[in-house]
Amino acid sequence: RDWFDTSNVWFPDVRSLPGAAIALSLTLYPYVYVLMLTALREQGLRTWQVSRTLGQGRIRGAWRAVLPAARPTLAAGVALVMMEVLTDFATVQYFNVETLPVGIYKVWTGEANTAVATQLAVLVLGFALAIIVLERALRGRARFYQAGAKGFLEPVMLRGSRRWLAT
């Protein structure tokens, strides 16, 4: 602002909850992306071919066959991101957002109350474990096995607005 003399120009307040959410989203999405990419490469082609031979279209085959088979991987990636967000301290501190890890740190160092800090930390751990247990409960008795694919799906070249929408 000093370099460009923008004292009378409005800028969004980045040191806020939306700013922290954007920063965490941009830095943590690779956890889910890389895990899902690997899962889809491992099982995508065979599952896709079976769904197509059973008369499913491209979208319906992906929705009803490929995505359910990749659901455990998606849940693992989301659980990893949630645990990272729950325990993140530096990013939210920089963006001036009060979160549970910040509260734990303040109780631990400021008030020197290790018992309460430990109880709060166990609360975070319990929440992360509850997410994992919830996913397993929602999965029910379903089990997923991936033997590995011998080929890859052919990429579909998107043009125009579909390309930007996919991005």
Side-chain angles (χ1 to χ4, degrees):
R1 289 182 181 182
D2 293 338
W3 289 353
F4 298 107
D5 189 33
T6 57
S7 57
N8 59 348
V9 177
W10 177 83
F11 280 103
D13 185 19
V14 293
R15 294 191 68 190
S16 62
L17 183 60
I22 290 170
L24 287 171
S25 297
L26 290 174
T27 56
L28 297 177
Y29 88 89
Y31 289 161
V32 177
Y33 177 78
V34 170
L35 286 172
M36 282 300 291
L37 181 66
T38 303
L40 292 175
R41 282 188 176 163
E42 293 268 329
Q43 59 89 27
L45 181 64
R46 287 185 184 153
T47 309
W48 182 264
Q49 288 172 340
V50 168
S51 70
R52 296 289 295 201
T53 58
L54 292 174
Q56 304 291 320
R58 289 190 317 197
I59 301 297
R60 192 172 178 127
W63 188 256
R64 297 191 67 201
V66 177
L67 286 179
R71 192 176 115 199
T73 305
L74 178 63
V78 170
L80 183 63
V81 168
M82 288 181 68
M83 286 186 274
E84 184 76 29
V85 168
L86 278 172
T87 59
D88 188 87
F89 177 74
T91 305
V92 293
Q93 185 74 8
Y94 177 77
F95 284 97
N96 199 24
V97 176
E98 293 290 326
T99 60
L100 197 54
V102 174
I104 293 170
Y105 179 76
K106 286 182 178 180
V107 167
W108 182 29
T109 60
E111 298 177 17
N113 193 340
T114 56
V116 173
T118 304
Q119 289 173 350
L120 290 173
V122 168
L123 179 70
V124 171
L125 180 62
F127 185 73
L129 289 174
I131 295 297
I132 293 170
V133 168
L134 178 66
E135 192 282 326
R136 289 186 67 86
L138 289 176
R139 189 181 334 157
R141 296 176 58 120
R143 299 290 176 256
F144 300 95
Y145 300 99
Q146 297 176 357
K150 299 219 184 235
F152 295 102
L153 293 171
E154 292 194 23
V156 175
M157 296 303 293
L158 300 176
R159 294 183 184 6
S161 61
R162 287 186 173 190
R163 172 184 271 173
W164 292 107
L165 184 62
T167 301

